[in-house]
Amino acid sequence: MDSQFATAERISLLTAIGRTDEADAEIARLSRSHVDPGPAELIAESLEGQGRLDEALTWFTITCRDLMADDGELADSRLFARPELRGRQRVRRALGLPPAGSFFVRADVGRAFAEGLVHGTAPTLAWPPERNAPCWCGSGRKYKKCCGSPTDR
C-alpha cells in the first residue's frame, strides 16, 4: 500500500509540473491493480481538482467499495458519513447525477434521524446486491459488472 501512496504522490507532482501525459500513464497503470481506498481517494481528489469529474467519480467509487462491503466494521456510535462518500456525492452532484443516498451503519440510523441528518423514510438495501441487479452506485450497469466485479476491486 505504501507504494500506492507513493504513486499517488508521484501523479500529483507530475500533474503540478505539467507532465500530465506521464501522470495519466501512472493513473492507467495503477488502475489495472487492486487499489486501496487511501491512494484512490488522493487520485480522486486530484482529478476532481482538475475538473476531470467522470474519472474522479470512478476513483471515488473505488474508495467507497471496501467501506460498503465492510458494513459491520465501524463502531456503533459513529455515523457512516465518511469523507470519501462525501467526495463521491460532491462529484455526482457536479456531474448532474442523482444522489446515491446517505449511508449509515444500521445501528446509527435512529441517531441520524434524531440529529436531522435523514428525513422521510430510510430505505434499507440488501447487501450485497444480487449480481444481476443494478449497481447501488447509480452507474446504470449491473452490480456484477461494476462495484461487484472482482477484477475491479
Side-chain angles (χ1 to χ4, degrees):
M1 179 154 79
D2 286 343
S3 66
Q4 289 182 354
F5 276 108
T7 301
E9 182 62 25
R10 176 175 163 73
I11 290 166
S12 176
L13 292 172
L14 287 168
T15 301
I17 61 173
R19 293 168 56 184
T20 54
D21 289 344
E22 290 177 65
D24 289 345
E26 287 292 322
I27 290 171
R29 186 184 62 74
L30 192 58
S31 71
R32 290 188 293 271
S33 64
H34 171 77
V35 183
D36 291 311
E41 185 177 4
L42 294 175
I43 293 168
E45 289 172 348
S46 173
L47 291 167
E48 181 186 11
Q50 297 171 47
R52 296 166 62 180
L53 300 179
D54 287 321
E55 294 168 273
L57 180 58
T58 298
W59 284 91
F60 272 122
T61 298
I62 291 169
T63 69
C64 298
R65 283 184 184 148
D66 290 341
L67 289 175
M68 300 313 299
D70 296 338
D71 62 345
E73 292 296 313
L74 295 175
D76 285 346
S77 63
R78 193 164 146 198
L79 286 173
F80 197 64
R82 304 279 302 255
E84 50 271 55
L85 288 171
R86 288 193 303 272
R88 186 171 181 275
Q89 291 290 64
R90 188 175 56 246
V91 170
R92 287 182 65 82
R93 192 171 30 256
L95 287 169
L97 296 172
S102 298
F103 300 97
F104 298 95
V105 174
R106 186 175 305 276
D108 285 333
V109 171
R111 186 171 138 214
F113 274 101
E115 293 181 10
L117 298 172
V118 178
H119 305 283
T121 60
T124 7
L125 301 174
W127 192 259
E130 295 292 322
R131 288 183 50 76
N132 286 320
C135 189
W136 64 271
C137 76
S139 68
R141 299 184 340 192
K142 289 182 180 181
Y143 175 70
K144 71 181 179 184
K145 297 283 187 179
C146 193
C147 295
S149 170
T151 58
D152 289 339
R153 290 193 136 243

